[in-house]
Amino acid sequence: MTRLRAICTAVALVCASGQVFADTASHNASAEAFLTLAHADKLGTPVYMQVQQMFAQRFEQTKAPAAKQTVLDTYQAKANTALDQAIGWNKLKPDMIKLYTSNFSESELKDLVAFYKSPLGKKVLEKMPQLTQQSAQLTQAKLESAVPVVNKLLEDMTNELTPKAAAPAKKK
């Protein structure tokens, strides 16, 4: 009887683990569908562009002749390879799936997928990059007026925390 119970328990555990795996696979698939719709594979594009620009600026600063363009192209390609190895989508995707599955239930991810497939969701995806950039520009512009005040506060705090040198003793 004990042996039968052990076998039933083992079978139940195997069946349950299969269900957990199926649930995990389905949850991961929902996260991947969302990430695909959200064009998460393009998250690294600004980094690639910034690095390419850095190389182009350095090329220009060296006043290299146009005949040396192949040198720039070679180094930009090497930089892209290095970036691919660090932040290429194939490197980021598993971690991004984990990130989204740990923060959203499968049902929530399916709702997000449904939303982003809708006309409004598509518009949000289309407009979000420029809205994010414009929001950052607005914030930066407003922040500029606070910079002198914050710098003065930092200076005042530093002065308050820095011990003053003792005044030289007066000679008699």
Side-chain angles (χ1 to χ4, degrees):
M1 187 69 167
T2 309
R3 191 172 195 181
L4 180 60
R5 229 180 246 172
I7 291 172
C8 288
T9 302
V11 169
L13 286 173
V14 167
C15 290
S17 68
Q19 182 61 41
V20 167
F21 178 74
D23 289 347
T24 300
S26 178
H27 196 181
N28 288 349
S30 294
E32 187 171 352
F34 167 73
L35 291 168
T36 299
L37 279 172
H39 306 289
D41 60 323
K42 305 287 187 251
L43 286 173
T45 299
V47 175
Y48 283 78
M49 291 172 49
Q50 188 174 11
V51 169
Q52 294 301 305
Q53 186 177 8
M54 286 172 27
F55 276 88
Q57 286 173 344
R58 181 63 56 89
F59 182 78
E60 189 176 308
Q61 288 170 355
T62 63
K63 298 184 183 346
K68 295 278 187 172
Q69 179 69 37
T70 56
V71 173
L72 171 62
D73 296 342
T74 299
Y75 278 94
Q76 285 178 322
K78 288 179 182 181
N80 281 346
T81 300
L83 291 172
D84 286 343
Q85 291 172 354
I87 62 166
W89 182 238
N90 61 331
K91 299 288 185 181
L92 290 177
K93 182 178 170 181
D95 293 331
M96 293 293 284
I97 289 173
K98 284 180 192 171
L99 177 66
Y100 278 82
T101 56
S102 67
N103 284 282
F104 296 99
S105 69
E106 183 175 357
S107 175
E108 290 170 330
L109 286 165
K110 286 181 177 181
D111 288 347
L112 283 169
V113 167
F115 171 72
Y116 284 113
K117 284 184 173 180
S118 74
L120 178 58
K122 289 176 182 177
K123 184 175 182 176
V124 168
L125 284 173
E126 178 189 325
K127 299 287 183 183
M128 195 53 69
Q130 65 194 104
L131 289 172
T132 301
Q133 181 182 13
Q134 290 170 349
S135 296
Q137 290 170 345
L138 286 169
T139 303
Q140 182 67 34
K142 301 280 185 200
L143 180 62
E144 288 179 17
S145 67
V147 170
V149 174
V150 170
N151 285 338
K152 175 71 169 112
L153 290 169
L154 281 169
E155 182 183 333
D156 291 349
M157 183 185 77
T158 301
N159 290 337
E160 188 172 326
L161 294 173
T162 304
K164 304 288 185 233
K170 292 183 181 179
K171 292 185 181 180
K172 295 184 180 179

